[in-house]
Amino acid sequence: MISALNSALDDIFGAMRLRRVWIALAHEDIGDQHRRTTLGPLWLLVNYLAFVGTFVFVFQPAGKDAAGYSAYVAIGLMVWFYLMEVISLSVSLFKREESFIEGTTLPLFVYVMRLTVQSAIRAGYAIAGCIVILLLSGSEVTMAWLWSLVGLLLILLATPALITVFAFTGAFFPDSEFIVGNLMRVGMFFTPVFWVYNGKDAIQRYAYQWNPFAYFLDVARIPILSGQFPGNAFAVTGTVALVMWATALLLLGRYRRQIVFLI
């Protein structure tokens, strides 16, 4: 266990020393995805706003409950799209980076951070759109918004661990790419992204209380919508992050040298 931990930390520290490499690669990925388009990366903002507008138009409740629904959906979709992208792309990460892994001696964590930065850049456009929607919907800016920022930073901190775990899962079980993709698409409807938990419906209660993604949404959403500190959500999200990091370190330490044979 100790040797595995030391091996994982060596790989991570080696990757941190090469931060210019994975930052440059991440920016290159964003540029390549929108090369020769009129709006460039601004399409990320347009896509986010289109999704939010569609969900609000279709699902917005009538009466007094409609007031904060735009903000509710804007924050929910922002966090959910980030998590869905991170997890879905992670499963095939090592397969996509096969040529680099086989042809270079770069630390394996470089590819993890490449995807982390790429996803963070894409999320930045969604955050900008979300702030605009919050202001237009009449959400009052308070000091409680800082707790939402802390929640987003906690999610960002958990991202490299999530990527590492799901990347190794994809390397060990190639079919998991399709399984995870389908589960994430279906999981959107079992997560309070656009539906509001009322505490009464039995199915909603189980989908909320036993769904870790619900707490990831709450750490960013509750401080803005209600001005309260979501202690339970932070506790669950922090616990999930710690478990994922422990698992990631174990996998990275034990199998980082074998990954070339798995892919």
Side-chain angles (χ1 to χ4, degrees):
M1 184 70 70
I2 299 299
S3 61
L5 178 61
N6 289 334
S7 179
L9 292 177
D10 286 343
D11 193 86
I12 292 173
F13 290 144
M16 292 299 105
R17 288 192 290 269
L18 297 172
R19 56 187 176 276
R20 291 186 179 181
V21 174
W22 40 264
I23 291 175
L25 289 174
H27 281 282
E28 182 181 359
D29 291 337
I30 297 295
D32 289 343
Q33 291 166 6
H34 303 89
R35 182 171 295 172
R36 300 183 64 185
T37 61
T38 303
L39 297 180
L42 285 177
W43 275 115
L44 298 170
L45 176 60
V46 173
N47 292 340
Y48 168 77
L49 294 175
F51 268 100
V52 173
T54 301
F55 274 94
V56 171
F57 177 76
V58 174
F59 295 105
Q60 180 169 282
K64 62 178 182 179
D65 294 332
Y69 188 72
S70 297
Y72 184 90
V73 171
I75 301 171
L77 284 176
M78 176 190 70
V79 177
W80 176 259
F81 283 159
Y82 175 79
L83 293 173
M84 184 172 67
E85 176 184 280
V86 165
I87 292 174
S88 299
L89 293 179
S90 297
V91 185
S92 58
L93 175 63
F94 292 150
K95 186 63 178 178
R96 292 197 310 274
E97 304 288 4
E98 180 178 2
S99 59
F100 275 102
I101 293 173
E102 293 180 345
T104 69
T105 58
L106 290 173
L108 206 60
F109 206 68
V110 164
Y111 311 112
V112 172
M113 293 307 300
R114 177 183 185 178
L115 180 55
T116 299
V117 174
Q118 180 188 153
S119 299
I121 293 173
R122 294 171 65 89
Y125 289 91
I127 291 174
C130 182
I131 293 175
V132 171
I133 293 173
L134 291 175
L135 296 177
L136 292 178
S137 65
S139 298
E140 183 180 355
V141 180
T142 65
M143 293 298 294
W145 283 38
L146 294 177
W147 286 119
S148 182
L149 176 61
V150 173
L152 292 177
L153 292 176
L154 178 59
I155 295 173
L156 182 62
L157 181 64
T159 298
L162 288 170
I163 292 174
T164 302
V165 172
F166 281 97
F168 274 104
T169 301
F172 282 114
F173 310 105
D175 289 346
S176 61
E177 178 179 352
F178 304 98
I179 296 173
V180 170
N182 290 330
L183 288 177
M184 293 303 296
R185 282 188 287 271
V186 174
M188 182 176 183
F189 298 95
F190 286 92
T191 305
V193 178
F194 58 89
W195 53 264
V196 181
Y197 173 59
N198 55 27
K200 298 178 181 179
D201 185 88
I203 296 178
Q204 279 194 356
R205 184 165 60 252
Y206 285 113
Y208 180 84
Q209 295 180 352
W210 297 97
N211 183 351
F213 292 114
Y215 300 96
F216 276 76
L217 269 61
D218 280 350
V219 293
R221 187 153 58 186
I222 290 179
I224 292 176
L225 298 184
S226 67
Q228 299 176 351
F229 171 69
N232 186 50
F234 268 98
V236 173
T237 304
T239 300
V240 171
L242 289 175
V243 171
M244 296 301 293
W245 266 111
T247 307
L249 290 174
L250 180 62
L251 290 171
L252 190 63
R254 288 193 173 183
Y255 300 109
R256 69 184 181 96
R257 297 186 186 280
Q258 287 76 27
I259 194 65
V260 66
F261 304 107
L262 295 173
I263 57 177

